[in-house]
Amino acid sequence: MTVILLALGAACCLGLGFVFQQAAAQHAPMKDFLSVRLLLDLVRMPLWVAGIGLMVAGMALGAIALGMGDITLVEPLLATNLLFAMALSRRLTRQRLGRSGWAGLWLLAGGVTAFIVAGRPQGGRSSADQTWQWLIMGMVLGTALVLAAVAKRERVHVSLEAALLGVAAGLLYGLQDALTRISGENFGRGGWGALLTSWQPYAIVVLGVLALVLVQSAFESAPLRLSLPALTAAQPLAGIACGVGFLGDRLQVTAGALAWEVAGIAAVVAGIVLIGSHPAMPPGAGRREDARELEPR
């Protein structure tokens, strides 16, 4: 129960923080798109700093939850950050939930519950075979970089661009969560010495900065509903893949359990899409598409 409460607290901070960040990012200069300079411009905006503060708090709570529980349990709960983003956005826009909003809410909540109940995630020791770890990490990182490269192409439509950047950032955050879990294990075995002499903490920082640039660029270029659902769906999928692939997490593998697990993940993704496309989500400015229209042909 403690792990669940910590994960939900992390989701709340992340969801609220994303809304604040997008509200600020849409006013950043478009010339800084997919550049570290974007962060330097955004850090001057109090609203963005508040959003980052909430995100850092959410990541800290998530790290504690990952240290106490299994990544296959924590990641689906972190996906509920979209519910908290929806709650704040609905208050700001004064939009009613309606059928699509309620359907998305129940699909997301029900999907998370079904996956956890059917899968019964159980932790284990990280795999001693480093081959699987590097293979899965390379696939997740490589996919994220390819998606970011495709999104940077000028011919990609702004809606697809934001979605691709959201997926790429979500994959990096999922990988970051897996490395956070390993860092916690290293700290538990050897304290600060073992933690600081391992490569994972430094990789976490690099992944965090890269993911932050991607997600802020997505927030800057298009409405929140085009990027946040993609990010929210990709993060738990990457985290679960890492958890089962090389962190030693175990799920029930009976035919009935697998069917419910797949149905639960499908319901989570469907709920995320419905909530993300709801009119209550901030519409943003969509300034990247406007800027393209002004470019000489």
Side-chain angles (χ1 to χ4, degrees), residues 55 59-60 62-63 66 71 133 137 141 169 171-187 195-196 198-212:
M55 188 179 77
M59 293 177 70
L66 287 168
I71 194 170
Q133 177 177 340
M137 287 174 53
L141 179 59
L171 292 176
L172 294 181
Y173 280 133
L175 182 56
Q176 187 184 48
D177 289 340
L179 295 182
T180 300
R181 161 84 172 272
I182 296 175
S183 297
E185 293 176 353
N186 292 337
F187 181 78
L195 178 65
L196 296 177
S198 61
W199 60 269
Q200 286 87 359
Y202 308 102
I204 288 172
V205 174
V206 173
L207 289 174
V209 173
L210 180 57
L212 191 60

Side-chain angles (χ1 to χ4, degrees), residues 270-292:
I272 287 170
V273 171
L274 282 175
I275 293 174
S277 60
H278 194 274
M281 297 301 284
R287 297 191 307 119
R288 184 164 176 81
E289 188 68 15
D290 295 338
R292 285 183 180 170

Side-chain angles (χ1 to χ4, degrees), residues 237-253:
L237 295 178
I240 291 171
C242 292
V244 176
F246 61 84
L247 291 178
D249 287 2
R250 298 187 301 274
L251 296 171
Q252 295 293 317
V253 293

Side-chain angles (χ1 to χ4, degrees), residues 43-242:
V43 77
R44 303 170 186 171
M45 303 181 185
L47 185 61
W48 187 82
V49 173
I52 287 296
L54 283 168
M55 188 179 77
V56 170
M59 293 177 70
L61 290 173
I64 297 173
L66 287 168
M68 299 175 61
D70 312 320
I71 194 170
T72 47
L73 170 64
V74 175
E75 287 291 356
L77 292 171
L78 291 179
T80 61
N81 72 77
L82 200 60
L83 297 179
F84 297 99
M86 174 71 163
L88 177 58
S89 300
R90 180 172 174 266
R91 183 175 181 84
L92 295 175
T93 60
R94 301 187 181 278
Q95 287 275 355
R96 300 181 63 181
L97 277 179
R99 292 183 180 179
S100 64
W102 282 110
L105 187 153
W106 285 111
L107 280 170
L108 179 55
V112 169
T113 302
F115 179 83
I116 293 174
V117 172
R120 297 179 186 177
Q122 296 180 353
R125 292 186 177 181
S126 300
S127 174
D129 184 5
Q130 297 294 309
T131 304
W132 272 110
Q133 177 177 340
W134 288 109
L135 179 61
I136 295 174
M137 287 174 53
M139 291 176 62
V140 173
L141 179 59
T143 302
L145 294 178
V146 168
L147 293 177
V150 173
K152 194 173 183 180
R153 295 179 59 185
E154 289 298 326
R155 295 181 181 178
V156 176
H157 191 272
V158 64
S159 59
L160 177 60
E161 176 184 83
L164 291 175
L165 291 176
V167 172
L171 292 176
L172 294 181
Y173 280 133
L175 182 56
Q176 187 184 48
D177 289 340
L179 295 182
T180 300
R181 161 84 172 272
I182 296 175
S183 297
E185 293 176 353
N186 292 337
F187 181 78
R189 285 194 297 264
W192 288 105
L195 178 65
L196 296 177
T197 55
S198 61
W199 60 269
Q200 286 87 359
Y202 308 102
I204 288 172
V205 174
V206 173
L207 289 174
V209 173
L210 180 57
L212 191 60
V213 171
L214 294 179
V215 76
Q216 299 307 319
S217 296
F219 289 168
E220 177 191 29
S221 65
L224 192 66
R225 61 176 177 268
L226 297 178
S227 56
L228 188 55
L231 185 156
T232 306
Q235 182 174 353
L237 295 178
I240 291 171
C242 292

